[in-house]
Every structure is written in structure tokens, then in C-alpha cells.
Amino acid sequence: MKRFILTGTPGSGKTTLLRRLAGLGYATTEEAATAVIAEAQAAGVAEPWTDPSFLDRIVAVQARPQPPAPVRFFDRSPVCTHALAVYLGHPLTPALLAELDRITREEVYDRRVLFVRNLGFCEPTEARRITFEESLRFEELHERSYRAFGFQLVDVPAAPVEERLALIRAAVL
């Protein structure tokens, strides 16, 4: 089973690419942080990322077993949660460290990571309250985290969706 991570700056089009890959018949897993934020905001917590348990809730979602599939694409991974912790200035929790150790030791994901580059802008949403300038810093932190954990970045530059999909499929399939 091949497991590929889509990562990059917020607003770069990862979710659009993931949904298009799903439409092509590939197994996919949505981003955990967005789900955790949406759930907390629905419960009345305006900024759940300020809660010390935020990272552990993301890790719990990311660690859930996925149904087997020959190829699966993930919108982010625990390495992204590492970058998020650094960005937010939160300490690395025991749960996050344990999950990072597990995915490294068990080689859960393919070492080639699809790094979806920014589109030159970042539109804020309820879950994504970040300026374009902040998103560029976040992009840099993701690059550093993935390299630190021994992953190879496969650039997916800004381009029309079909070109990006073709590049992804050529790079990993």
C-alpha cells in the first residue's frame, strides 16, 4: 500500500487536489486540523488552536486507522502537526512525539511528499485565519519539518489544477 502526503501552505489548493484525486478513484483522507477546528467552533470555541489540547486532538484524528487501499493520499500528516506546533509556539506533546516516532519507525508514509506551493495569495476562512505573509512563514516551517524527518519534497508548483494533478500522478504512480 502506498501512502502519499499532500502538504504545503494554507490556501495552496491541497484540498481541491485531494478531492480531484478522490474523483479519479484514489482513496483519500481529509485534513485532521480542519475537522478539529470545525468541531470546536461548532461547540462555541472561537479559536481552538489556543487550547493546549489542540495538537493532541489533531494527532488522535491523524492516528486513526484507514481502510486499506493500494494508493491513498493524505491532506497533511503528523509532520504538519509538528510544523503547526512550532508555528503556534506550543510545546511538542508526548502524543505528538510518539506519533512522529511511530510514523518514522513504521514508515507509514512514502518518503516522497507532495509539497503544494502557494498560489500567491491566501484567502482566510473560519478555520484558516492567516495572512498571505503568515502563510509563507508556515510554508517554510513545513519544509523544515519534513526535511528534518527525512522526507523528500516533490514540488507541486502553482499551476492550473489539471497540470498539478498530472504532475502528482507522474511523480508517484
Side-chain angles (χ1 to χ4, degrees):
M1 179 167 36
K2 294 182 178 184
R3 297 174 181 191
F4 296 101
I5 301 165
L6 290 171
T7 193
T9 191
S12 62
K14 293 177 304 300
T15 302
T16 297
L17 291 168
L18 189 82
R19 291 185 179 150
R20 292 296 298 276
L21 288 163
L24 293 170
Y26 296 105
T28 60
T29 300
E30 298 277 337
E31 182 182 6
T34 300
V36 169
I37 291 169
E39 182 180 299
Q41 287 176 337
V45 179
E47 297 180 347
W49 48 88
T50 61
D51 184 326
S53 68
F54 178 63
L55 296 174
D56 287 347
R57 285 184 281 151
I58 294 170
V59 169
V61 173
Q62 289 171 327
R64 289 180 187 154
Q66 299 294 313
V71 176
R72 179 176 293 277
F73 291 93
F74 291 81
D75 189 340
R76 299 206 181 273
S77 79
V79 178
C80 294
T81 307
H82 175 274
L84 178 61
V86 173
Y87 178 79
L88 294 173
H90 289 331
L92 302 179
T93 67
L96 175 55
L97 291 170
E99 185 61 6
L100 289 166
D101 177 63
R102 183 187 76 80
I103 68 165
T104 302
R105 186 175 18 83
E106 295 179 12
E107 298 180 351
V108 170
Y109 301 103
D110 194 278
R111 302 311 288 172
R112 295 168 294 167
V113 173
L114 302 156
F115 203 96
V116 182
R117 295 298 175 173
N118 74 77
L119 296 171
F121 63 92
C122 179
E123 295 197 20
T125 66
E126 276 304 306
R128 181 177 58 226
R129 298 180 191 172
I130 188 171
T131 67
F132 178 63
E133 291 74 23
E134 292 167 329
S135 77
L136 294 177
R137 178 169 176 268
F138 204 44
E139 181 178 58
E140 181 185 324
L141 290 172
H142 275 76
E143 281 189 65
R144 278 196 244 153
S145 290
Y146 275 96
R147 286 194 172 113
F149 285 96
F151 288 91
Q152 172 194 351
L153 304 181
V154 176
D155 265 0
V156 180
V161 173
E162 293 305 318
E163 286 180 35
R164 286 175 140 188
L165 282 172
L167 188 151
I168 290 168
R169 293 175 79 191
V172 300
L173 305 175

